[in-house]
Amino acid sequence: MESIYEYAWLIPVLPLAGAMILGLGLVSYNKAMNALRTPSAVFIVSLLGAAMVLSFAILWSQVQGHPPYTQLIDWAAAGDFHLTMGYTIDRLTSVMLVIVTTVAFFVMVYTDGYMSHDPGYVRFYAYLSLFSSSMLGLVVSPNLIQVYVFWELVGMCSYLLIGFWYDRKPAADACQKAFVTNRVGDFGLLLGILGLFWATGSFDFEVMGLRLEDLVETGALSGAVAALFAILVFMGPVAKSAQVPLHVWLPDAMEGPTPISALIHAATMVAAGVFLIARMYPVFENIPVVMDTIAWTGAVTAFVGASIAITQNDIKKGLAYSTMSQLGYMVMAMGIGAYSAGMFHLMTHAYFKAMLFLGSGSVIHGMEGVVGHDPTLAQDMRLMGGLRKYMPVTAITFLIGTLAISGIPPFAGFWLKDEIIGAAYEASPFLWAIGWLTAGITAFYMFRMYFSTFEGSFRGTNEDIKRQLKVAQLQKMGLSMGPGAMNPQELAIDAEMHDEHDGHGDHHHSDSPHESPITMTIPLMALAIPSILIGLLGTPFANYFEAFIHPPSEVIEGIPSEVDWSEFLTMAGSSIGVSLIGITLASLMYLRGKIDPAKIAKQIEPLYKLSLNKWYFDEVYDVLFVKGSRRLARQVLEVDIRIVDGIVNLAGFVTLVTGEGLKYLENGRVQFYALIVFGAVLGLVLVSGVT
């Protein structure tokens, strides 16, 4: 078994090597490399498959009780300062390695079908492989400085993948928004890292926690300063894991291809934030104000994300806000001390959310044959409905994911959500109320999504709905000329629809959607298995996961199995009850049509608009930061032109004038110079005589 740990460095290196080979091939022999589509995909998937097998072997070794293994080398040294790099394998690492490699493996298999006709097919595989390598490198990092290196690599890869279709303006804007927003959090993270190193002299997680606790207890360091450093570090996860107020990049990231949406939301970028909180737990757990900050940030994020998801019509953006809400649950769990529950949620959520995103991609893939390649139409649930009979595999797996995230037993989401809500009740009734209410909202919007997409009658061929959506899209872009009769934009829409209806376009339209190819449905079926069964590892009757992944500061002997049945039945019953209420409301509105959502929206119009406009975060940020920075730039430009440039220009003007005047005094005649000297002396005599 020891040899497995000696070669654990291959796990991040294998996908990195694949990305380098494809990248060099694209740079040197672009045309030939793009022609090798299938061999490139097989090569990358095989390398990641090997990394996945090695990850499972390490996990099994850790389950059998192998002690943590760390391999370090001196990266840089100067006097007493030593910067080490390497890799560490412990229980947290082994779990994360399996999560990242399995999800990435199935996403890469799925990519072959989803991106089969894309000209950037090989480039996309290179980016995916580099993204997976960066996340795996982050997971095995033994210290905070190495985490930061891979943290930035993960951010760079997300920028490349969100903006993969860079010729589309929304995608280009989305990747820039993600990059800038994450720079805010990463700047705080960097300041926190430097502050903790200044205080403790170490980048090691355990050492930082112990030394910081000693410094605060002895009075050598103020508790407020220690809390400030820890909160600055927490700013990194706030941005990466899309916590309020740095969450605004996540929905826009849906402009990237669906496979990368699944990878970002399940196992890489957003998971990196929660993972860093877990790694920094030795520092955070001893500072109550930081734990409270983490808990309340997560609770607010969970509620805000769920409340926005209620009104989203874009299937991918609905899932994006769902991810934001579930990440809030994980962060809240970490903040209230439910470490194992938060990590359990991270693991289970990775599988069913990857399946849900890949399912949404399967729906979009099937819908493109009906509505064309306009992503705003192919992703709009108002044009879906009745897809279950056309796409049975996608529908069944999507329903499994919906039941799991809604917390319905025995699916994975029930056990973890019940554990988090129970821990929240012990920490604060207010946190429990937010978590409990959010659970009901989650069930409502997820079944709204399922019913609108897969049940009822198919609406994709309804030309009136298409026309209304395209007109609304143009009006939103400011292109519509008003509500009058046929304006030029509407005429263009009608012409486009006429072409599409007659089949003269190049999109090969049909009258009905179709099931996705087997390379897309196999990953869905594979991910459905852990979405159903993996929650059984964390039941209160035998919590194997908690016994395995407990916090470093705790020692657990045996499998936790003590159950307070009255408390369990009360908490479980209340969480199931509120979920069933949400499902019932969604059924009455979007399946049976007994309740008209439009009438309810009209009655609570301010709240409806608040949700539809995403709590106006983007509008506020646009006024404060985008337009505000432009106003500031204009003021700085005025100062630069009138003062800075004015001083420089004045200096030049004075030099020019004095030079022009003095050149007449420099005529080369000695008599003239003597006259000037005589005049100067005479003047000095007169002045001295007067004084």
Side-chain angles (χ1 to χ4, degrees), residues 134-191:
S134 300
M135 185 63 191
L136 291 169
L138 189 153
V139 166
V140 301
S141 295
N143 55 55
L144 194 52
I145 196 68
Q146 188 172 328
V147 164
Y148 187 75
V149 172
F150 285 102
W151 185 273
E152 294 302 324
L153 281 173
V154 167
M156 182 202 71
C157 293
S158 68
Y159 173 82
L160 294 173
L161 285 160
I162 294 169
F164 181 76
W165 290 319
Y166 54 84
D167 53 343
R168 289 175 45 202
K169 188 177 186 303
D173 292 342
C175 68
Q176 292 180 48
K177 186 176 183 179
F179 186 82
V180 172
T181 305
N182 277 275
R183 296 288 69 71
V184 176
D186 292 356
F187 181 64
L189 172 61
L190 178 60
L191 292 178

Side-chain angles (χ1 to χ4, degrees), residues 11 31 48 186 192 220 225 237 282 295 333 400 447 499 538 608 652 670 677 685:
I11 296 175
K31 188 174 180 179
L48 193 63
D186 292 356
V225 173
I400 290 171
F447 272 90
D499 289 343
Y608 172 74
V670 178
V677 172
V685 170

Side-chain angles (χ1 to χ4, degrees), residues 315-323 353 356-357 360 446 449:
I315 188 170
K316 285 179 67 178
K317 287 193 175 180
L319 289 173
Y321 281 108
S322 168
T323 299
K353 185 51 65 70
L356 287 168
F357 262 107
S360 72
M446 285 305 304
M449 192 178 298

Side-chain angles (χ1 to χ4, degrees), residues 314-572:
D314 185 305
I315 188 170
K316 285 179 67 178
K317 287 193 175 180
L319 289 173
Y321 281 108
S322 168
T323 299
M324 172 184 162
S325 180
Q326 297 305 306
L327 288 167
Y329 265 113
M330 299 176 207
V331 173
M332 181 178 72
M334 292 291 184
I336 59 180
Y339 175 93
S340 60
M343 289 306 302
F344 191 44
H345 193 4
L346 176 63
M347 178 179 69
T348 55
H349 176 267
Y351 292 113
F352 60 67
K353 185 51 65 70
M355 181 177 64
L356 287 168
F357 262 107
L358 296 182
S360 72
S362 180
V363 168
I364 295 166
H365 186 269
M367 287 292 296
E368 283 179 346
V370 181
V371 301
H373 289 281
D374 184 346
T376 58
L377 296 182
Q379 296 173 195
D380 200 309
M381 292 185 289
R382 289 169 290 187
L383 280 174
M384 298 177 188
L387 295 183
R388 179 165 54 87
K389 66 178 181 180
Y390 301 105
M391 311 177 71
V393 176
T394 302
I396 292 171
T397 54
F398 201 94
L399 178 60
I400 290 171
T402 302
L403 289 167
I405 198 172
S406 299
I408 303 300
F411 296 90
F414 165 71
W415 305 106
L416 63 93
K417 195 165 289 187
D418 180 65
E419 187 176 357
I420 292 174
I421 291 175
Y425 183 79
E426 295 179 1
S428 168
F430 295 106
L431 289 174
W432 170 83
I434 294 173
W436 180 81
L437 180 61
T438 302
I441 299 173
T442 301
F444 173 80
Y445 70 68
M446 285 305 304
F447 272 90
R448 168 185 178 265
M449 192 178 298
Y450 174 78
F451 293 144
S452 298
T453 304
F454 295 102
E455 302 297 337
S457 58
F458 182 60
R459 301 178 293 274
T461 55
N462 190 318
E463 300 298 330
D464 290 336
I465 298 178
K466 286 185 184 180
R467 185 172 179 276
Q468 291 172 8
L469 294 178
K470 287 196 173 184
V471 171
Q473 181 183 355
L474 290 174
Q475 289 175 341
K476 186 177 180 180
M477 295 170 61
L479 298 177
S480 179
M481 295 177 66
M486 301 295 285
N487 60 48
Q489 285 80 21
E490 291 169 344
L491 289 171
I493 291 169
D494 282 347
E496 181 183 344
M497 288 187 172
H498 180 73
D499 289 343
E500 291 178 357
H501 184 69
D502 290 344
H504 297 313
D506 58 355
H507 299 319
H508 307 290
H509 295 283
S510 62
D511 293 329
S512 61
H514 57 83
E515 184 61 276
S516 299
I518 192 169
T519 52
M520 295 173 66
T521 54
I522 284 180
L524 292 175
M525 292 184 284
L527 289 167
I529 296 172
S531 298
I532 298 171
L533 300 177
I534 203 167
L536 299 177
L537 294 175
T539 66
F541 324 114
N543 199 331
Y544 296 98
F545 188 83
E546 183 177 355
F548 180 71
I549 204 73
H550 58 82
S553 58
E554 295 182 11
V555 177
I556 296 180
E557 297 180 358
I559 307 299
S561 58
E562 296 181 3
V563 183
D564 185 339
W565 283 102
S566 60
E567 181 182 348
F568 172 74
L569 292 175
T570 301
M571 290 295 172

